[in-house]
Amino acid sequence: MTVRLTLLCAAAPAERDVRFGDIPLDERALRQARAVAATVAGALPDGAACRTAPSERCRRTAHALGWDAPVVEPSLRDLDMGDWRGRTLDEVAAGDGAGLAVWMTDPGAAPHGGESVADACGRVAAWLDALPPDAGRVLAVVEQAVARAAVLRALDAPLSSFWRVDVPPLSAVHLTGRSGRWNLRMSAPGTEVLAEGG
């Protein structure tokens, strides 16, 4: 059987200086999530499994989409940013520029005392590969790092490609999986965000 997985990146606040960690959503971000809710509802066949990462941002996005009780998946959590949690990229660059440079170039590095990109990618790959073959259609609201990691797993891409995968807020990654093999599925232009993949 084929698993059809759609990962929807959580909404993001309008704040210009985005901080590492779970950032609360503003009303603008929630409106944007509600705007795609009709598309999501059309992509939810009976029995579809709705899941979400544990962050407030992902849970509030799922709620804005109209999901009543999505399953919270701890393995879909964001990168643990350790000492950098709550700080902006500019603040980290000013206070730990060398550590930031290492982290952005070495997937095994975790200078912030949290989780490395390699560890996060391994965690997401393990979650993907543990989905049962009869899971059918699965939709999940996730962090951008999780979507990046899933793309790398599907393509067997090197970990050094992590930062080269651009996943904007409320964008969707479609994957199909069978027998431990994952494929990235692209949507045709004009196709609704989540309705593809039936």
Side-chain angles (χ1 to χ4, degrees):
M1 298 184 73
T2 300
V3 177
R4 298 187 183 282
L5 173 65
T6 297
L7 301 174
L8 179 70
C9 289
E15 181 181 340
R16 287 181 179 230
D17 295 325
V18 176
R19 298 179 179 276
F20 289 118
D22 191 8
I23 310 301
L25 297 180
D26 56 18
E27 187 53 40
R28 176 192 137 299
L30 291 171
R31 271 195 313 273
Q32 289 176 335
R34 287 190 289 269
V36 300
T39 302
V40 173
L44 286 171
D46 291 339
C50 298
R51 302 173 187 205
T52 182
S55 70
E56 179 185 349
R57 176 175 52 221
C58 288
R59 288 183 287 116
R60 289 197 69 199
T61 298
H63 181 73
L65 293 172
W67 298 3
D68 291 329
V71 174
V72 175
E73 292 280 356
S75 294
L76 299 181
R77 68 188 178 277
D78 202 359
L79 276 162
D80 178 354
M81 298 309 297
D83 298 337
W84 295 350
R85 187 177 301 113
R87 297 168 68 189
T88 67
L89 185 60
D90 287 343
E91 289 169 348
V92 170
D96 188 9
L100 181 62
V102 168
W103 182 62
M104 296 290 292
T105 56
D106 179 359
H112 43 63
E115 186 177 30
S116 71
V117 167
D119 288 342
C121 287
R123 168 172 45 87
V124 172
W127 180 82
L128 286 170
D129 294 342
L131 284 171
D134 61 351
R137 182 96 170 112
V138 179
L139 289 94
V141 176
V142 298
E143 307 289 351
Q144 290 174 316
V146 170
R148 286 184 177 113
V151 169
L152 265 57
R153 168 64 184 94
L155 300 178
D156 288 326
L159 295 177
S160 59
S161 302
F162 183 83
W163 297 112
R164 299 178 70 187
V165 179
D166 189 15
V167 282
L170 297 174
S171 63
V173 173
H174 304 286
L175 301 174
T176 57
R178 181 186 298 199
S179 303
R181 179 179 157 199
W182 288 95
N183 296 313
L184 179 64
R185 185 166 193 183
M186 307 303 288
S187 297
T191 303
E192 293 184 349
V193 175
L194 292 176
E196 207 276 338

